[in-house]
Every structure is written in structure tokens, then in C-alpha cells.
Amino acid sequence: MLNSFRQSMAWVHTWFGLVLGFVLMVAFFFGALSVFDREIDRWAIPDTRFEPQPMPSYDNLLKQVFADLKPHPLDMAATAERVVGELPAPETMPMVSLFAYTTHRDPVLRIGAEFDIPNKPKDPSDDHLHVHGWATIDPRTGAALPDDQLKIGSNWFYPMHYSLQLHWKSLGTYVVGLAALIMLVALVTGVIMHRKIFKEFFTFRPKKRTQRSTLDLHNMTGVVALPFHFFFAFTGLVIFASFYYFPVSGTLLKPLHDRHEVIEAEHTGLPHDEAGVPAELASVDAMVAEAKRIWAERDMAGEVGLLMIEHLGDANGYVSIYRAGSDRVALVGEGIHFKASSGELLREEPPSDPVGAVNQFLTGLHLQHFEHWTLRWLYVAGGLLGCICIATGFVFFVEKRKQDHAKRGLQGCRLVDAMAVTTVTGMVLAAVGMLVANRLLPENLPGRGDWEQWAFWGVWLLSLLHALWRSAPVALARSNPAWREQCWVLAVACVAAVLLNWITTGDHLLKTMLLDPYWAVAGVDLSLLACALVSVYTARRLARTVEVKQGSRIGGVAYE
């Protein structure tokens, strides 16, 4: 036991923060990027660079789109391993449910469906087993967009935020959850450590030696965004608790959960099972018009965000229409349900109880589906402040100990510094390198999205090897040149991404800002140029710091 409670808290803060700080750095950075994931998608897939569209007509467009939709080959292969016997031909599988989803920031429309199969599952717990199909379409024409074009923002950066793209047994999600829990501990212990927390809010001495100025910046960024950091760590845990961390409804309490679904269906009037009697589908457009009328009467006129049809082609089929809800923080769909065969109104979802309302508000505030652009940029600022806080924590850890480690011949600081370089500049390099690869790879390259993913991991791996190779000076109590070298590479990569976007698509900043404004693409280009400027400034500042240290040593003065 340490000599005092505050020292004990300092130990917990230091070592817990160090061990899982690398994971938190990834979560914060890609969380900041995911605030504008749809805009990054537009930059990465030039064919989708048009204005956001409302939900298109089902009767005149989507009906034929879903008629042409077939089970996806990937899901066919995955389902074939879970059932007894061979799956029937895809074109013979009846579609039993479907959905169409869009947001106020999506020019494209995401659709999906479930197809019934006669096979029995190998595992009896796999009830209601279906084969799935999905696609992304142009809602203006119904044309499907190529599946091998990776949505870098929403399908790579965003999942990286909460799963590290480690999907085996949901390992990445559990690691991020543990890191979020440790972050709450680090925030509490950090407050206990710093008795003069309000003074440190205003204290930053950039001209002091590296250890002092780094600690000031660590404290200041930690304090100024403390509510932001605490709230997002806590709500992230709450959102995933029932799905991953305590999934009792799908394991220990599954029989009770299944029974509850049946009782809820009886209570709401939305059939749980098919009737087995074929039935035609009434006009979905008429149901959408009625749903919009009801929303307008509630003084919340809006567009459809999610359209679902359950038990398609059956007498028990019903259509569920959910409002986009981008005009409010709480994640509320205001669902309205109709009988599919007649268009009869079955149910209007009532207002939530107080507990449900709090949950909807917290979930909506974390997932930020609202239209408030200023608040979105504040989210980005909060995420980047978290990155700065963690990065300066790494630097302070090394600066505080490297003199002692050099005298004792230890390699700990060298390893921590190399990992810090990889997690800070290397991670940003990997993200920008992915964008560069996106513009360099041929549009018709088979498996193009896979190549982009390999580019991401390859650049990150190279940054790790470079950081380790150049980290030898840290063992001698000097600075690692990998920091400034990777900053220079990052600046070049950011400018290259902007130029390549111009060359390959013709969308330069003059066009996307003035001639034919398209701020989704302009915003990504401007962010890349801002990143380049920060990288150049940081590299030059690091170079000057090294020169000052070398001059101090030559003059016979101990710098640290």
C-alpha cells in the first residue's frame, strides 16, 4: 500500500490509464471521425455525391427494387453452415420481411430483407433462421450501387470506434467496454489526484520543459472536457450493456424473453407469427401519407427514416413506419403500424415512460442522429481533446521516467514511447492512408474494399515498425525522432489525399465550396488540410525542441 490515498489514486490513474490508454485513443479518435461518417462515405464513393433524399415511394420504386433483391452470397455461405442439408436456390426463397433506412445526411438508401428457408438449424436455439439480403441503392432511380465499394466512414471508422474491427466473439467490443470502464476510474482518480483542479483549468506553460508543459496540457484537456469524457464513457457502456456485456435475454433468460415477445405482440396487436394465409399488400404509400398526417397532428411533421414490413405476403403482415426524428436529441422513432393487407391502423406507439425517455435521450445524445451542426463539431472537439489528453499522458509517462530508465539500462520507456507514436501519429496515418488508397485504387478492381482495409492495417503496421526502429534514442534519455518524421509523412499524405480527390473526381475545393457547393466533400478536404497544417507545425516544433536540447548539452547545461 502506498503512503497516502492520493498516491494510491495516482498509481491507479497512471497504470490503468497506460495499459488501456492505447484502446481509448482509438475509441476517441474514430469516435470523433464517426460524427461525420456519412460525409466521409460521400468523399470515398464519388457516385454518391448528390444531395440527401427522402424515403422514395414504395409503390412506384421500392416494390420493384425489393422484387429484384436476392439473398446475399456471403450470408448464404454463413447460413449454409448452420443448417441441416443444402439450402435451396436463392431465387426460390420467399421474402418474409424487409426494411429501408435513411437519414437526413444520407443521399443513398440502405435496404435489406429476410428470406425464408425450409432447412432445420443444427443448433435448436437458432429459431427463426433466415437468409438475408441487403444493398445500397440510389433512391432517385432504384439502381444498386456496387457492393465492393467500402463505406469508409460508416462501415470502417465508425465500427472501429466501438469494436476495433475485432469481430471474433465480439472481442473488440468487450475490450472497448473494459477500456470505457477503466476510463471512468481514471477520471475519478484524476480528480482526486489534482486538488487544484480549477486552477489547472487555466494553467498551461508551453515554454517550460517538456515534462511540465505536457503535464499542463494533459491536465487542462482532461478538465475542460471532463463532463464530455465521463458522459460518453458511461453512455457507451449503457448502450452496449444489454447487447454484449449482460446479454441475459439471449442466454440465461431466453425462454422468458421469447415468452415476453409473444405477450407483447398480443398487447400491441402486432402479430408475432405468420397466419399461413396468403394476402396481398395494400398501398404502402397511402400508409406513409397517413403516418405523416398523424405526426403533423402531434406537431412533429417529418420524413420517414425507417420503413419495415413483417410477415410479407401473409394475412398477419404489418407495415411499421418510423419518423426520422433528426429534429430532436432523443432517439425516438414515433412508430406507427398498419395492417399490411388493408392499410388499417393497428397501433401508434405511446410516449415513453420516464425511464424509457431518459434512455432514449442518453442514447440519442451519444449516437447524435440530430441535425445540429454546431453541436456535432463540439462532439469532434471533445473527441480530439480526449485524444490530446491521452497522448500527453503517454508523453508525460515517458518524460518522467526516461532519465531513470537510461541510468538503469531499462527499455520500458522505449517501448511505451514507440507504442505512443504508433497510437497517435501512426493511427492518424493509417486513416489518411486509407483515404489515399481509396483514390489510388482502380474503380473496377475486384474486392476493392478489401484492398482499402489492407492499406489501413499495412500503414499502421509500418508506423509501428518505424517507431520501434527509431526509438533507440529514448533508451538514452533523448527524444524519439519518429514523432516528427511521421508528422511530416502525415502532412504529405493529407495533401496527397486532397489532390488525388481533385484529380480523380474533379471535385476541388473551389468547386465544392463556391461553384457547386457540396460541403460533405469540402469538409473532408478542409479537415485533411487542417490536419496537414497541424502536422507541419508539430514537426517543426519538435525539431526546435531537439535543437534546444542539443544546444543545452553542448553548453554543458543539463536540460532535464
Side-chain angles (χ1 to χ4, degrees):
M1 177 62 77
L2 300 174
N3 294 332
S4 69
F5 180 67
R6 286 185 65 248
Q7 287 181 339
S8 300
M9 293 298 97
W11 185 93
V12 171
H13 182 88
T14 299
W15 291 103
F16 277 34
L18 177 67
V19 172
L20 286 170
F22 303 108
V23 176
L24 289 172
M25 187 74 181
V26 175
F28 268 114
F29 178 70
F30 287 104
L33 293 186
S34 67
V35 173
F36 292 106
D37 57 346
R38 302 300 205 279
E39 288 72 17
I40 296 173
D41 288 346
R42 306 290 76 77
W43 192 96
I45 308 177
D47 290 343
T48 66
R49 294 181 183 179
F50 49 91
E51 293 303 315
Q53 304 291 313
M55 183 71 69
S57 164
Y58 182 90
D59 297 348
N60 299 327
L61 189 144
L62 290 182
K63 184 175 182 180
Q64 184 59 47
V65 170
F66 279 107
D68 296 337
L69 186 66
K70 295 293 183 288
H72 199 280
L74 292 178
D75 200 62
M76 285 282 291
T79 306
E81 298 179 356
R82 300 168 56 195
V83 298
V84 177
E86 293 185 3
L87 290 174
E91 58 273 12
T92 65
M93 296 182 183
M95 185 183 296
V96 294
S97 68
L98 60 84
F99 77 87
Y101 173 75
T102 189
T103 74
H104 68 282
R105 296 158 53 218
D106 272 318
V108 297
L109 184 72
R110 301 186 184 191
I111 65 170
E114 289 184 335
F115 299 84
D116 197 18
I117 54 176
N119 305 65
K120 294 183 179 179
K122 294 179 180 178
D123 185 350
S125 64
D126 272 343
D127 51 352
H128 307 298
L129 194 61
H130 299 98
V131 178
H132 300 83
W134 58 85
T136 301
I137 68 168
D138 183 338
R140 301 171 301 180
T141 64
L145 299 172
D147 278 341
D148 59 352
Q149 292 192 11
L150 177 65
K151 300 179 181 70
I152 291 178
S154 58
N155 284 2
W156 188 259
F157 290 164
Y158 176 51
M160 181 69 71
H161 161 61
Y162 62 83
S163 71
L164 309 178
Q165 293 291 359
L166 300 176
H167 302 299
W168 180 76
K169 301 292 185 181
S170 300
L171 177 61
T173 305
Y174 287 111
V175 172
V176 172
L178 176 61
L181 184 62
I182 295 302
M183 180 180 170
L184 294 178
V185 175
L187 291 174
V188 173
T189 54
V191 171
I192 294 172
M193 287 166 54
H194 299 288
R195 291 172 294 186
K196 301 178 181 178
I197 188 170
F198 293 103
K199 179 181 177 182
E200 289 168 348
F201 183 92
F202 302 100
T203 302
F204 178 47
R205 293 158 285 190
K207 295 185 180 180
K208 293 286 186 178
R209 62 194 180 101
T210 304
Q211 183 176 328
R212 180 71 263 173
S213 59
T214 301
L215 181 59
D216 283 347
L217 190 56
H218 177 75
N219 293 338
M220 187 173 68
T221 53
V223 172
V224 72
L226 179 62
F228 177 92
H229 298 159
F230 190 93
F231 172 82
F232 276 87
F234 174 73
T235 53
L237 288 170
V238 170
I239 290 171
F240 280 101
S242 61
F243 297 103
Y244 290 101
Y245 308 140
F246 304 104
V248 291
S249 63
T251 53
L252 300 176
L253 301 182
K254 190 174 189 307
L256 182 61
H257 174 263
D258 293 344
R259 179 58 183 162
H260 174 73
E261 282 189 341
V262 175
I263 295 174
E264 185 179 27
E266 294 174 354
H267 174 69
T268 60
L270 304 179
H272 182 266
D273 299 310
E274 295 180 349
V277 178
E280 294 295 324
L281 180 64
S283 172
V284 176
D285 286 0
M287 302 179 208
V288 169
E290 177 64 11
K292 288 184 176 182
R293 186 192 66 79
I294 295 172
W295 292 333
E297 283 186 351
R298 296 179 184 175
D299 195 25
M300 52 178 64
E303 293 293 335
V304 177
L306 176 64
L307 171 68
M308 300 178 65
I309 303 180
E310 295 289 341
H311 310 317
L312 184 65
D314 187 84
N316 274 355
Y318 61 92
V319 178
S320 299
I321 302 171
Y322 296 89
R323 183 172 173 271
S326 57
D327 57 343
R328 61 189 60 199
V329 171
L331 196 64
V332 181
E334 304 290 344
I336 300 177
H337 310 274
F338 301 88
K339 188 175 181 64
S341 59
S342 64
E344 173 193 353
L345 179 63
L346 294 178
R347 174 178 170 81
E348 297 180 39
E349 292 188 358
S352 300
D353 56 39
V355 174
V358 170
N359 179 65
Q360 290 169 349
F361 180 79
L362 294 178
T363 304
L365 198 58
H366 189 108
L367 298 180
Q368 34 83 33
H369 282 247
F370 44 77
E371 294 186 40
H372 200 301
W373 295 104
T374 303
L375 188 54
R376 284 183 172 277
W377 279 109
L378 289 176
Y379 276 43
V380 174
L384 296 181
L385 283 174
C387 293
I388 295 172
C389 183
I390 297 169
T392 50
F394 293 151
V395 175
F396 176 73
F397 180 93
V398 173
E399 291 294 323
K400 184 178 180 180
R401 292 164 177 80
K402 68 181 182 182
Q403 291 281 0
D404 179 60
H405 282 208
K407 293 176 182 177
R408 298 165 58 188
L410 302 177
Q411 298 294 314
C413 280
R414 178 181 179 180
L415 179 60
V416 171
D417 190 87
M419 288 297 298
V421 174
T422 306
T423 313
V424 181
T425 55
M427 176 180 61
V428 184
L429 259 175
V432 176
M434 192 176 199
L435 297 180
V436 171
N438 170 267
R439 293 294 84 222
L440 284 176
L441 292 171
E443 292 290 336
N444 57 353
L445 178 68
R448 188 170 182 269
D450 295 334
W451 284 100
E452 292 169 359
Q453 295 175 29
W454 282 114
F456 177 88
W457 294 121
V459 171
W460 209 347
L461 177 61
L462 286 175
S463 74
L464 170 62
L465 297 176
H466 173 255
L468 289 170
W469 171 52
R470 298 290 281 160
S471 64
V474 180
L476 303 175
R478 296 201 295 268
S479 300
N480 188 347
W483 285 103
R484 64 178 183 275
E485 291 168 357
Q486 291 197 14
C487 282
W488 284 117
V489 175
L490 178 58
V492 172
C494 288
V495 174
V498 175
L499 292 176
L500 286 168
N501 177 51
W502 178 6
I503 294 169
T504 57
T505 68
D507 289 341
H508 51 80
L509 278 171
L510 183 62
K511 176 184 176 182
T512 55
M513 291 177 62
L514 299 175
L515 301 178
D516 186 15
Y518 194 78
W519 284 102
V521 173
V524 176
D525 279 346
L526 289 172
S527 299
L528 286 167
L529 292 178
C531 181
L533 290 175
V534 171
S535 299
V536 170
Y537 172 80
T538 304
R540 290 173 62 86
R541 182 67 183 266
L542 290 171
R544 286 199 300 269
T545 301
V546 171
E547 290 174 1
V548 171
K549 288 184 178 182
Q550 290 175 344
S552 298
R553 291 192 182 96
I554 293 172
V557 179
Y559 186 81
E560 296 176 318

